[in-house]
Amino acid sequence: MPRFQVVLQLSPVALVTIVYFTGGGLLISGVTCIGLLFLQWLFLDEEKQVTSRLHILVNPTDALVDVVAVQGLGSAYPHTWMGKNQTRRAWFSHSKPDIKKVMWLKEYLPKDFPAARIMAFEYNSRWLYEADFQGLEEHASALLDALVEQRQDSSSRPILFIGHSYGGLVVKQALVLSHKFETEGTDQRKWIASAESGIIFLGTPHQGSNYGTIALVLSFIYRPLGGNYTQVLRLLSDGERLVQLDNEFKEVLSRGATKRTICFYETKGQAWTWAFGPLVTRLSARLGLSPEVAMECNHNEMNKFSERDERYEKFIGKLKPVYNLLTNPVANEA
């Protein structure tokens, strides 16, 4: 995780703690808030302008399936898919532990899915700083456009989507939009919904999240850094819109192109939300007819694996039947 993300996550906790122990002193807490924001400004790296695009991580010549990973809310590529592998040292050692960042989509997944072209979709969903004001349909449309561009010579190849958090909603909306384009005779975006696919949801808030209010407060605190209560955040509290998306998505599923969906849900809360439970509850992460799988981690850890441990093996064990179904459908039907 970049340094600025650590500071951004810790400062609200620090601010609340200061307000509490100072008896809510407005002057003290106000000065502290300004100081924290200044420190954050110093830590903010000059990041590249984020443009929506697909990063091709692995591209075997004999690929039989496209794996497309879609990041979540406020994520930064490639950090969002990287776990930290820390080498333990003896307690009496004065040297710092070796920390290696692991891009599991590139280092682990190809060994389990050798016939997969693996891609990661990057898009701008910032809200705490330099907030982006695009909504779900814009992000989904950008995903469709990127897929069409990369699949010019392989439009019928099956797709295995992996959507983390809000990224799962982007996948759902993209397939709904693609389904609507099927009436457009020359529009290539219709082929995405027509291709056989499987979808893995990692902590996707199908029914929204109770943290919309917290996000509203944080976006106000970070207004000096460009924070804002964006359309994406509003969506997480818009039950009516999410139900509409769910119904439209189930209509796409009824057409049979999507062979299997699996919903993973977290069992732990974030460090700053431990008192309130998981960021996305099991009830919200479920899709109804899809299998539900518990993942013993918090929301931000669901899309990160630092080693091929028990959690990764459990995860990949659930994905392999979907991969096998897409790469060799005849054998699986026999």
Side-chain angles (χ1 to χ4, degrees), residues 30-44:
V31 170
T32 303
C33 182
I34 294 173
L36 288 170
L37 290 171
F38 176 71
L39 287 175
Q40 292 166 29
W41 177 79
L42 291 178
F43 273 98
L44 282 173

Side-chain angles (χ1 to χ4, degrees), residues 279-296:
L279 198 63
V280 177
T281 65
R282 177 179 181 179
L283 181 62
S284 181
R286 65 187 303 181
L287 198 55
L289 301 176
S290 304
E292 302 166 25
V293 182
M295 190 176 283
E296 296 178 356

Side-chain angles (χ1 to χ4, degrees), residues 256-270:
T258 300
K259 298 301 181 182
R260 189 169 301 178
T261 59
I262 302 176
C263 297
F264 287 83
Y265 62 92
E266 67 237 46
T267 62
K268 299 179 181 179
Q270 305 292 126

Side-chain angles (χ1 to χ4, degrees), residues 87-105:
T87 303
R88 297 177 180 269
R89 293 184 179 274
W91 63 270
F92 52 82
S93 174
H94 295 289
S95 58
K96 294 182 179 180
D98 294 329
I99 299 177
K100 177 187 176 184
K101 290 186 176 181
V102 179
M103 177 62 143
W104 64 273
L105 289 173

Side-chain angles (χ1 to χ4, degrees), residues 102 104 106-112 305-308 312:
V102 179
W104 64 273
K106 192 173 183 178
E107 297 185 38
Y108 296 161
L109 199 59
K111 298 176 183 178
D112 298 295
F305 297 97
S306 58
E307 55 186 337
R308 299 182 67 96
Y312 176 81

Side-chain angles (χ1 to χ4, degrees), residues 113-234:
F113 296 169
R117 176 171 66 162
I118 302 173
M119 299 178 282
F121 180 61
E122 178 185 15
Y123 64 100
N124 192 346
S125 61
R126 294 172 180 165
W127 62 278
L128 268 183
Y129 71 101
E130 298 179 3
D132 182 75
F133 290 90
Q134 294 185 87
L136 180 63
E137 289 205 6
E138 287 87 352
H139 293 144
S141 182
L143 173 59
L144 282 181
D145 291 340
L147 284 171
V148 168
E149 181 180 352
Q150 291 294 342
R151 289 166 55 87
Q152 291 291 328
D153 299 324
S154 55
S155 59
S156 61
R157 182 184 294 166
I159 309 173
L160 175 56
F161 290 102
I162 301 176
H164 175 238
S165 190
Y166 170 77
L169 298 181
V170 174
V171 171
K172 289 170 66 176
Q173 183 65 65
L175 291 175
V176 168
L177 288 176
S178 178
H179 172 55
K180 291 179 179 178
F181 285 127
E182 286 188 329
T183 57
E184 307 283 339
T186 59
D187 198 315
Q188 293 180 315
R189 287 173 290 185
K190 67 181 181 180
W191 297 115
I192 303 304
S194 299
E196 290 188 347
S197 63
I199 310 173
I200 308 303
F201 295 106
L202 300 177
T204 295
H206 299 288
Q207 313 302 324
S209 173
N210 295 326
Y211 289 89
T213 302
I214 296 177
L216 173 62
V217 174
L218 291 180
S219 62
F220 176 78
I221 292 175
Y222 289 105
R223 187 63 63 86
L225 295 176
N228 207 297
Y229 195 59
T230 62
Q231 293 184 51
V232 173
L233 292 177
R234 291 188 179 94

